[in-house]
Amino acid sequence: MKKYKNYDDVLEEMTKFLSNSPHPETAIKFLQGIFKSAKEANKTLLKSERVDATAVLIRLAIVQASQKNYTQAISKLRQEIDEDPKDFRLCLYVGIFLRQQGKFTEAKPWFDKAKALAPAKYQKKIKKEETKLYSNTVQLRLKV
């Protein structure tokens, strides 16, 4: 039996399992429920006891994007940005999902915002994702 280090590991494994099932919409419903419960519970929990609801939402958005439902994924992230405009992860994933759709010009400001908000230890990951933006643009130009 596999041992998990923390709640995030369990959530990630469960999401993978449900996403790969014959009914991947089950993963969406599961994550929606976890997100809603986490947001509600976090109102009364001590800061050290809170669930990272943003991480749950990002997993939900990743599942939606993997099913090409980018509009829904980006919409949920933008709603959360309105509530927590300082979380760089939300901006990063909006940029990633726009890039995946080929909307490079729209994605660039989201990467810039993520870089401006992120602590130093995350800058390399953001720059790596932003670099993919430029390599995708070059590939498109070469195909023309």
Side-chain angles (χ1 to χ4, degrees):
M1 181 183 238
K2 185 173 181 176
K3 290 196 176 197
Y4 298 100
K5 295 178 185 173
N6 58 42
Y7 177 79
D8 287 333
D9 292 343
V10 173
L11 187 61
E12 184 174 344
E13 284 296 315
M14 190 68 166
T15 302
K16 284 179 188 176
F17 173 75
L18 293 171
S19 295
N20 294 323
S21 75
H23 304 286
E25 64 276 0
T26 306
I28 291 174
K29 289 179 182 174
F30 169 73
L31 290 167
Q32 285 171 332
I34 296 289
F35 177 69
K36 184 178 178 183
S37 296
K39 291 286 278 188
E40 195 59 38
N42 285 348
K43 292 176 184 176
T44 59
L45 294 172
L46 296 173
K47 191 172 186 176
S48 63
E49 299 171 333
R50 292 183 187 158
V51 174
D52 186 354
T54 300
V56 176
L57 179 64
I58 289 169
R59 281 197 179 86
L60 171 60
I62 290 168
V63 172
Q64 290 171 322
S66 73
Q67 296 178 354
K68 305 298 184 213
N69 192 350
Y70 293 107
T71 303
Q72 187 70 29
I74 290 170
S75 173
K76 289 287 187 188
L77 294 174
R78 285 183 172 174
Q79 285 175 350
E80 194 65 16
I81 289 168
D82 290 342
E83 289 184 35
D84 187 5
K86 294 185 179 187
D87 194 320
F88 76 95
R89 299 173 297 174
L90 299 166
C91 300
L92 174 62
Y93 278 93
V94 169
I96 289 169
F97 297 148
L98 289 168
R99 182 196 70 217
Q100 288 174 347
Q101 296 176 84
K103 298 178 179 180
F104 307 118
T105 305
E106 289 178 52
K108 175 74 171 102
W110 290 101
F111 286 108
D112 291 342
K113 188 171 181 179
K115 284 189 295 190
L117 294 171
K121 68 180 185 177
Y122 296 106
Q123 293 294 327
K124 191 173 182 178
K125 176 183 169 129
I126 295 168
K127 288 177 185 174
K128 182 179 177 183
E129 289 296 332
E130 186 179 28
T131 302
K132 293 177 187 176
L133 181 71
Y134 301 112
S135 64
N136 288 341
T137 304
V138 170
Q139 288 174 355
L140 283 178
R141 287 183 186 154
L142 292 174
K143 288 181 182 179
V144 177

